[in-house]
Amino acid sequence: MDENTVNMMIAQIAFQEMAMSKLLNEQGERIQFTLGTLGEAASPPITIGELLTMNRSVKDAIDCAVCKEIVLLRHLECLLHATGATCSPCCFSGGTGSTGATGATGATGATGAMGATGATGVTGATGATGATGATGAMGATGATGVTGAMGATGATGATGATGATGATGATGATGATGATGAMGATGATGATGATGTTGVTGATGVTGATGTTGSAGGLAAALSRSNIGGTLTILAGSPVQFNTAGASIGTAITVLNNSTFGITQSGLYKVSFVVTITVLSLLGGVQLQFTGTAAPNPNINTFTFLTGGTSLTGLVMFQVTAPGNLQLTATGLTLSLSGSGTSAAIVIEKLA
C-alpha cells in the first residue's frame, strides 16, 4: 500500500474522531442544559420521565461512540501494521492473567449492532502468465462416406399450344358536335340617379363622467433592516437585534426600536429574514412573534438551525386583520451570531 493511500485513510480516521468528539460534546451540553448548569433552566421545568428519556438517548449515543472508537482503533492498527509501524497497545488490553474457573453460562445477550465494514484491502499483483503448452498432433481425418445415388427426376409434361389472338374490331365513328346557341344581346345600363343633399350635422352629446382612478402599481409599503456588529449573543426568548436601517416606503410599517416593528394597517404581509450563527445548536432556532391578529398566525412557524457556520433563511406570509407589533425571537438555546459582516437581516413587505 503506497504512502499517499495510508495518509488519506489516516486523515479519514482523524476526521471521524473530530466528529465523534463534537457528538460527545453535544451530549454533554444536553445534560448541562437539562440540569440547569448552563446558567439557564429549561422552561417549563423538565419532568422525571423526560429526564429518563434524555438519559437513555445520551447512553445510546455514547454506546455507539464506544463501538465506533473500537472500529477506528482497529483500522488504525491495520494501517500501521501495513506500513511496518508500531502503535501503543490498545487501552482496552491488559496483560493476560491466569485462566480462572469457567463460570456458569449466562443468558444470551441481545445481538449487537453490526460494525462498520472494514476498508477493502489492496488488490495483489497479477501473477505471470504461464508458458503455452505445445499443440498436440491433429488426428487423421476419417474417410468420407459414399454419397447415395440421386433418384431420377420425373419427365415434365408437354405445354399446350397457345391459341391464336382474335382480330381487333374497328373503332366507331365520332358523332358530330351540336351547334352552340347564339348569345342574347346585353341590356342597356340604366342612368345613375342624382346625389341627394347632405343633411345637417347633429349637436354633440354631453361628455360622460370620468371613471375612478385605478390603484397604483408596486408595493403598498416595505421596510428593511440588518445587524452589522451589534448584539451577537441572543438568549432563548429574546428578540434578534437589527441595528442598521435599510430602505423603506409607505407608512404601514414602522420601527419602534432595533428589535420591534409596528404593523399599523391591515392587509397581506410577507416577511423574509436571514440569520447566520457560528456555533451549532441542535435545539436552537428562530420564530416570528406578532401581538396583533393574523391568519395564519406567524407564531406557528419555527425555523431550526441544522449546522454551525451557515445561514438560516425563512419566509412567512400572513393576512393582518388587527394591527400589532412584530419581532424575530430566538427559540430553544442561546444563539451565537456571526461577528463577521452582516449577521442578520429582515425585509417586511405589505403586498396589498
Side-chain angles (χ1 to χ4, degrees), residues 104-112:
T105 301
T108 302
T111 302

Side-chain angles (χ1 to χ4, degrees), residues 34-279:
T34 304
L35 298 178
T37 60
L38 287 178
E40 52 182 284
S43 178
I46 193 169
T47 65
I48 293 297
E50 292 173 335
L51 181 61
L52 293 176
T53 299
M54 183 275 298
N55 184 66
R56 284 193 297 270
S57 175
V58 173
K59 178 181 179 297
D60 291 342
I62 294 176
D63 288 345
C64 291
V66 171
C67 293
K68 183 64 176 179
E69 287 293 339
I70 294 174
V71 172
L72 293 177
L73 176 60
R74 293 293 176 258
H75 286 181
L76 181 60
E77 290 176 343
C78 291
L79 290 173
L80 295 178
H81 178 72
T83 59
T86 59
C87 60
S88 301
C90 175
C91 59
F92 301 105
S93 302
T96 304
S98 58
T99 303
T102 302
T105 301
T108 302
T111 302
M114 181 178 294
T117 302
T120 303
V122 179
T123 303
T126 304
T129 304
T132 304
T135 303
M138 181 179 294
T141 303
T144 303
V146 178
T147 303
M150 181 179 294
T153 302
T156 303
T159 302
T162 302
T165 303
T168 302
T171 303
T174 302
T177 302
T180 303
M183 182 179 295
T186 302
T189 302
T192 303
T195 302
T197 58
T198 303
V200 179
T201 303
T204 303
V206 179
T207 302
T210 302
T212 56
T213 302
S215 58
L219 295 173
L223 181 145
S224 66
R225 287 183 74 87
S226 58
N227 190 62
I228 302 176
T231 302
L232 300 178
T233 300
I234 310 299
L235 300 178
S238 299
V240 177
Q241 301 292 312
F242 300 95
N243 62 359
T244 303
S248 65
I249 59 172
T251 59
I253 308 167
T254 61
V255 179
L256 302 182
N257 53 51
N258 284 350
S259 63
T260 307
F261 305 95
I263 304 299
T264 63
Q265 300 176 10
S266 60
L268 180 63
Y269 288 81
K270 181 178 74 173
V271 179
S272 307
F273 61 85
V274 58
V275 179
T276 303
I277 62 172
T278 58
V279 180

Side-chain angles (χ1 to χ4, degrees), residues 24 38 49 54 67 80 82 89 110 136 152 160 183 194 196 273 282 288 302-303 326-328 344:
L24 293 175
L38 287 178
M54 183 275 298
C67 293
L80 295 178
M183 182 179 295
F273 61 85
L282 295 178
L288 286 173
T302 299
F303 300 84
L326 184 71
Q327 291 181 329
L328 182 66

Side-chain angles (χ1 to χ4, degrees), residues 24-40:
L24 293 175
N25 184 63
E26 287 292 337
Q27 301 306 313
E29 289 185 355
R30 288 180 62 191
I31 295 175
Q32 292 176 342
F33 173 72
T34 304
L35 298 178
T37 60
L38 287 178
E40 52 182 284

